[in-house]
Amino acid sequence: MRLSGKRIVAFVDEEFEDLELWYPVHRVREEGAEVHLVGLERGKTYIGKYGVPATSDYAYADIDTSQYDGVLVPGGWAPDKIRRYADALRIVKEMNADGKPVGQICHAGWVLISAKILNGRTVTSTPGIRDDMENAGAKWLDEEVVVDGNLVSARRPPDLPAYGKAFCDKLAEV
């Protein structure tokens, strides 16, 4: 249980990619971390692209990042909504500034773009937002998982095993 005592924020909103939320959440929980689902509203049930529900424990505005060790941003269509919320962007910016692990997969890169933390960083994402990532100043690689300092990124669901391991490894260092 190498992640015992670690606390993670996992973002959620409508049409999150079900596997890209739940696989990393379960992976860090299996290693002992506590995970809080966080959305625009506390206690709201959000529905994933394939119908799997997720109920938020807290709202973005409730989160004091000094009480957490990392953040996971799922893919799907949720990132296009999440990137519009100032408190979600605040969480990502603060976690990044503190060197805490920031995990993103697939379209989650949109949230990091809007948080303006990608300039000069090396990442991956779904190839569909490669241009967006590069226009934000990132170097984009077509690899299953890319770790650049505290940023851990992956492309799509088949990359989840490598992504989950890399995020847990990074979290164990904090």
Side-chain angles (χ1 to χ4, degrees), residues 91-155:
I91 292 165
V92 171
K93 287 177 189 179
E94 290 176 3
M95 293 277 194
N96 183 64
D98 291 340
K100 295 175 181 177
V102 175
Q104 67 94 11
I105 185 168
C106 201
H107 287 84
W110 280 336
V111 176
L112 280 62
I113 290 168
S114 293
K116 301 186 183 343
I117 66 166
L118 291 182
N119 192 35
R121 305 300 292 271
T122 302
V123 295
T124 193
S125 66
T126 179
I129 67 166
R130 175 184 180 168
D131 291 345
D132 301 331
M133 303 289 272
E134 290 176 338
N135 288 336
K139 177 182 178 185
W140 188 89
L141 302 176
D142 187 12
E143 296 178 7
E144 66 181 357
V145 67
V146 174
V147 178
D148 180 357
N150 63 309
L151 296 184
V152 181
S153 57
R155 299 172 300 189

Side-chain angles (χ1 to χ4, degrees), residues 35-82:
V35 180
H36 292 147
L37 299 181
V38 179
L40 183 60
E41 299 174 44
R42 172 196 286 242
K44 179 176 178 178
T45 298
Y46 297 91
I47 305 300
K49 285 174 54 177
Y50 304 107
V52 178
T55 302
S56 59
D57 300 300
Y58 297 101
Y60 300 121
D62 298 335
I63 299 302
D64 173 356
T65 58
S66 71
Q67 302 300 307
Y68 289 89
D69 301 292
V71 60
L72 288 165
V73 186
W77 301 123
D80 192 39
K81 297 171 185 72
I82 295 167

